[in-house]
Amino acid sequence: MKRAPTHSYPGLNLGRRHASADQAAEVVTFGFWVFLMSDLVYFGLMFAIYITMIDAQAGGPGPHELFDLYSIFAQTLILLTSSLTVGLAMLALKYNLPRWRIVFWFCVTLVLGLCFLVLEIRDFMAMAEQGGIPQRSGFLSAFYGLVPLHGLHVAAGCVWLIVLGIQLRMFGLTDLLMSRVVRLALFWHFLDLIWIGIITIVYFGGLTYG
Amino acid sequence: MDKRSEMHRRERRRYVIGYGGSLLLTGAVFTIAYKYGIETKGVYLSIALLGLAQLIVQLVYFLHIDRRRSSREDLDLILFSTLVLLIIILGTVWIMGNLAVRMHTYPM
């Protein structure tokens, strides 16, 4: 039986063909993974605050008035698709496909990330119009502490995509840049995981218990 | 060359399976919410379980973390972080809920 290729760090590994880049990526990717896990604990704290604050609506607008599930559905699909396209960029990198393929999938991911942010900001503006502003109630403070924090991560990921795309064009596929792409893909998949937590706990949880 | 393109196809299929599975689970969650409304605890429980399933699908197919292939430290780190998270979240909910009951702000 053929042995499955060994994995030395989370995410898609670069493999033997890029042995030096693979080795360079191993330690830093593990360090980045530690960072992601600490970020996860931070998100977890915000989730905990939100759960305890669901009832603290102080007579202000609650989940039933504020949440727009159609928009949330669209955002979920967009973020999920961008997770796939960043994976395709990683595959293009690993299998030495022409460099424009990597840049193409980066661009698709960037456009999807920006669409996600536009929809999210539109949601926040619609909420604010109905009086759903952070200082209205404990519930809304917790909401605005958690969901825009995820949006901020997505925005940071978009900036990272742009910078890395420019670097790829300027310097080509060096070991350092390849290990950066590995970490960016990991970061992007991680954001999708957090988003699943947000739709389950913030939106559906809010609608059930709020 | 041929072996390599076969590997490529196999790994691409992995991503597509993860995407399809996540899409299916997302569709199921929103269909349940749309058809049954999100009022009862039973509906919410099924939504939460489907969310958990989607987390696992993405961990395995996108992040390539499972028991067999990844090095153990990554999985250990996830499990440890999950433990810390459970202590934080359950502890907070327990203590604050208990406080709310004692302060009579919570109808129980």
Side-chain angles (χ1 to χ4, degrees):
Chain A
M1 216 182 90
K2 230 181 348 184
R3 264 187 72 219
T6 54
H7 272 225
S8 46
Y9 46 88
L12 185 68
N13 279 205
L14 290 167
R16 251 173 314 171
R17 206 161 306 277
H18 302 288
S20 63
D22 199 40
Q23 218 161 21
E26 186 178 338
V27 176
V28 282
T29 306
F30 184 70
F32 190 69
W33 187 248
V34 175
F35 157 72
L36 285 183
M37 289 299 111
S38 63
D39 215 22
L40 180 68
V41 172
Y42 184 22
F43 272 111
L45 269 172
M46 301 308 286
F47 276 119
I49 293 170
Y50 180 83
I51 292 169
T52 57
M53 284 291 177
I54 280 182
D55 282 319
Q57 292 169 11
H64 291 277
E65 292 88 57
L66 296 175
F67 293 166
D68 173 13
L69 277 188
Y70 292 105
S71 171
I72 303 305
F73 184 54
Q75 287 170 48
T76 308
L77 290 187
I78 288 171
L79 207 61
L80 183 58
T81 309
S82 76
S83 212
L84 174 73
T85 57
V86 95
L88 292 175
M90 266 300 285
L91 281 179
L93 175 77
K94 179 172 178 180
Y95 291 98
N96 287 327
L97 300 185
R99 213 192 306 165
W100 66 264
R101 292 270 288 263
I102 307 174
V103 175
F104 170 74
W105 288 122
F106 266 31
C107 289
V108 175
T109 310
L110 178 65
V111 168
L112 289 169
L114 292 176
C115 286
F116 173 84
L117 285 175
V118 167
L119 280 178
E120 186 161 64
I121 289 167
R122 263 187 42 186
D123 272 6
F124 292 156
M125 277 159 63
M127 282 174 71
E129 257 171 39
Q130 295 180 48
I133 47 174
Q135 55 268 48
R136 180 63 188 82
S137 64
F139 161 72
L140 282 161
S141 301
F143 175 87
Y144 279 105
L146 173 54
V147 183
L149 181 70
H150 175 268
L152 212 57
H153 277 74
V154 175
C158 288
V159 173
W160 192 355
L161 269 169
I162 295 169
V163 171
L164 204 52
I166 293 171
Q167 285 183 331
L168 277 175
R169 278 196 74 97
M170 280 173 66
F171 306 119
L173 289 171
T174 62
D175 288 358
L176 181 63
L177 287 188
M178 280 204 247
S179 86
R180 281 180 188 163
V181 178
V182 170
R183 271 168 283 157
L184 174 61
L186 213 54
F187 182 68
W188 205 270
H189 291 318
F190 171 75
L191 290 185
D192 205 15
L193 292 180
I194 298 292
W195 181 252
I196 296 169
I198 287 180
I199 55 171
T200 308
I201 294 175
V202 173
Y203 290 106
F204 289 125
L207 287 171
T208 310
Y209 293 99
Chain B
M1 208 61 193
D2 199 31
K3 186 176 162 237
R4 198 170 133 218
S5 64
E6 196 209 304
M7 271 293 286
H8 182 198
R9 207 164 31 228
R10 199 165 1 139
E11 291 205 305
R12 193 173 51 198
R13 198 167 58 209
R14 209 178 149 81
Y15 275 104
V16 173
I17 289 172
Y19 180 64
S22 302
L23 216 56
L24 223 62
L25 288 166
T26 305
V29 164
F30 280 91
T31 312
I32 288 174
Y34 184 73
K35 276 189 80 166
Y36 299 101
I38 322 161
E39 304 297 327
T40 62
K41 290 192 169 134
V43 171
Y44 183 62
L45 188 68
S46 52
I47 286 176
L49 286 177
L50 286 171
L52 193 66
Q54 195 175 343
L55 279 183
I56 293 168
V57 166
Q58 295 205 1
L59 273 174
V60 172
Y61 287 98
F62 286 166
L63 287 156
H64 299 80
I65 286 171
D66 51 40
R67 286 192 332 189
R68 185 165 43 87
R69 304 211 320 168
S70 65
S71 70
R72 294 306 299 250
E73 290 100 17
D74 307 325
L75 190 61
D76 290 349
L77 208 54
I78 291 180
L79 293 176
F80 176 68
S81 309
T82 312
L83 179 70
V84 171
L85 274 178
L86 282 178
I87 293 171
I88 289 173
I89 293 178
L90 293 181
T92 306
V93 172
W94 182 19
I95 291 171
M96 296 308 283
N98 199 286
L99 194 65
V101 171
R102 283 167 196 278
M103 299 288 281
H104 304 290
T105 55
Y106 203 69
M108 254 177 96

